[in-house]
Amino acid sequence: MHPGGPAPALRVGRQPYGVLPATAPSRWVARTGENGAGVAAWMRAWGAAVGPVTATDPAAPPAPRGGTGDPRQITGTDLTPLLEAASPVRWAAAGAGYTGLDGLVGTADGPHSAAVYLPLVAGTAQAALTGIGGQLPDTLLAKVAVAAKRAAAASELSSVDNALRLLAGATRDDLARLFGEFLDAAAHRFDAWATGAATERLLAQRQQPSTPVVVGAYGWLTDVAPRTAPRSTGHVHAPSLGHAATAAVLRSAYLAQRAAQSTTRSMAVDLSSSRVRAAQWVLDAVRAGQPLAAVFGYLFERDLADAGLQAYLGAFRKLTRFRAGTALEQWEEARRARQADLRAAQARLAELQQSAAALATTVTERQEQVRVAGERSARAEAAAAPYAGMPAEASTLDTAIPRLQGELAAIDARRPAARRSYYTIQVP
């Protein structure tokens, strides 16, 4: 991501021109492995919510959609938005303010310069960052550097340290400019993220030799004012004297009708360059073998599509019932057939997606049932564990009981017969 743009501005005369990769955010679909996948959903929502922009004032950036208050941004010390000058500047966010380059990135030299404290942060262990607080100046860049290193994972520490040492070698003005750009990109600017995603896609496409590079441009008109002079002083530019004479006669008749305030405008013939080019295109198409009705029909259908009325195209074609058998007509029929196939495929895809969603739900339910059954089986096995040895003990007892019964019977057989004695006790 390059908040200042991936390429330097071009200057033609007094006017600078920027070169930026562009895309359609509302239709953006990230590809596998792209870093831009993290902002794909935001790009589609942003493109659908913002729509086409007709006027943008760089000095008054819009607040984030749905947010409250002014956007956080780099401003001048007089609270006017900063456009190109690097000093004086001010960053205000959440009640904290850092004024001037000294407050933003530090002094130009000395112990409070970025060339001193950034290597100090890079050379300090992550666990010891709290102990160097007294050695760091009260600058926004120092706080961001410490916070970045604290939040870095163990695998990212070396990259963060190398980045801090690289920034330490930049001049103070360049460091303030770059720091301000990235602060704005992290606060209120979404265009830099969208441009970064488009740049990543462009670099990947340039690795494919068969992919063409498409370049577009846009610009602004300045100092535009209504015309006060007449559009024509009577001169007619024509390819021949015959054309000039015809134009002069038609012009004279039109002026006469307008002077008489006539409601008829039969002589109001438009001989502008756009009309002449359109007429030449029609003549060239007829010379190439196209029927005149087919040429006019094509122009009508193109105007219908440009007006966003494609839904009525089929109805008008049914009214004409014109079949010229031209290659253009065959292409149109082939295009309609492909569109029908595409709609059928999309409908089938929607059905398969619904079926897949239903199957996914069923699989999830079955997996939950299997999990519950497994838990019940585990509990049953744990409860039955103390009784697992009882069948063996019962079998042992079944064998021992008959033996013991036989031994008791033998003992009972050897016992002597009982003798009984009777005694009479007389009580006086």
Side-chain angles (χ1 to χ4, degrees), residues 73-399:
Q73 59 178 320
I74 291 291
T75 62
T77 52
D78 56 354
L79 300 183
T80 59
L82 175 69
L83 297 182
E84 295 182 2
S87 176
V89 295
R90 183 175 186 275
W91 169 264
Y98 301 86
T99 303
L101 296 186
D102 290 349
L104 194 65
V105 298
T107 58
D109 50 22
H112 289 174
S113 65
V116 174
Y117 66 77
L118 288 181
L120 175 61
V121 176
T124 304
Q126 194 176 35
L129 290 174
T130 306
I132 64 171
Q135 306 177 48
L136 299 178
D138 186 20
T139 63
L140 182 59
L141 180 58
K143 289 180 171 57
V144 172
V146 172
K149 185 161 184 178
R150 283 177 176 171
S155 59
E156 301 173 346
L157 283 176
S158 60
S159 299
V160 173
D161 293 339
N162 293 335
L164 293 176
R165 294 188 180 96
L166 179 63
L167 291 175
T171 63
R172 186 173 71 153
D173 288 344
D174 290 342
L175 192 59
R177 177 179 56 82
L178 295 173
F179 190 39
E181 290 177 354
F182 278 92
L183 285 174
D184 284 349
H188 72 277
R189 286 185 55 197
F190 187 72
D191 60 298
W193 298 93
T195 304
T199 302
E200 182 184 23
R201 177 71 56 83
L202 177 62
L203 295 177
Q205 289 179 343
R206 284 180 174 174
Q207 303 300 323
Q208 305 173 6
S210 60
T211 303
V213 177
V214 181
V215 179
Y218 65 94
W220 289 270
L221 295 178
T222 58
D223 301 328
V224 179
R227 179 190 296 271
T228 57
R231 297 187 61 184
S232 174
T233 56
H235 300 286
V236 177
H237 296 276
S240 67
L241 291 177
H243 290 81
T246 302
V249 171
L250 293 173
R251 174 70 175 172
S252 178
Y254 170 72
L255 293 176
Q257 287 181 345
R258 190 175 64 176
Q261 297 183 353
S262 173
T263 57
T264 303
R265 291 292 184 265
S266 58
M267 296 299 170
V269 179
D270 186 359
L271 295 179
S272 60
S273 59
S274 60
R275 299 275 291 182
V276 173
R277 286 196 300 270
Q280 289 178 343
W281 184 87
V282 171
L283 294 176
D284 291 340
V286 173
R287 290 192 189 99
Q290 296 288 342
L292 183 60
V295 176
F296 285 152
Y298 171 75
L299 291 175
F300 174 77
E301 291 185 357
R302 186 173 65 180
D303 292 341
L304 201 66
D306 292 342
L309 303 176
Q310 299 94 324
Y312 303 101
L313 185 59
F316 280 109
R317 288 181 176 177
K318 290 180 180 179
L319 290 176
T320 59
R321 298 295 183 182
F322 179 77
R323 295 293 184 272
T326 62
L328 177 61
E329 187 176 78
Q330 296 176 3
W331 292 339
E332 287 291 335
E333 292 178 354
R335 181 180 64 84
R336 288 194 296 271
R338 297 299 182 271
Q339 287 179 340
D341 295 341
L342 177 60
R343 287 192 295 270
Q346 289 174 340
R348 179 57 178 165
L349 176 60
E351 294 177 358
L352 293 176
Q353 288 176 340
Q354 292 178 356
S355 301
L359 291 176
T361 303
T362 303
V363 169
T364 303
E365 294 175 353
R366 296 298 183 269
Q367 289 177 343
E368 180 64 19
Q369 294 175 359
V370 169
R371 185 188 65 80
V372 173
E375 293 178 352
R376 294 178 60 186
S377 176
R379 290 195 300 268
E381 290 178 355
Y387 307 100
M390 288 186 174
E393 294 179 1
S395 177
T396 302
L397 292 175
D398 289 341
T399 305

Side-chain angles (χ1 to χ4, degrees), residues 396-411:
T396 302
L397 292 175
D398 289 341
T399 305
I401 286 173
R403 181 177 57 79
L404 294 175
Q405 287 177 344
E407 293 179 356
L408 288 175
I411 293 172

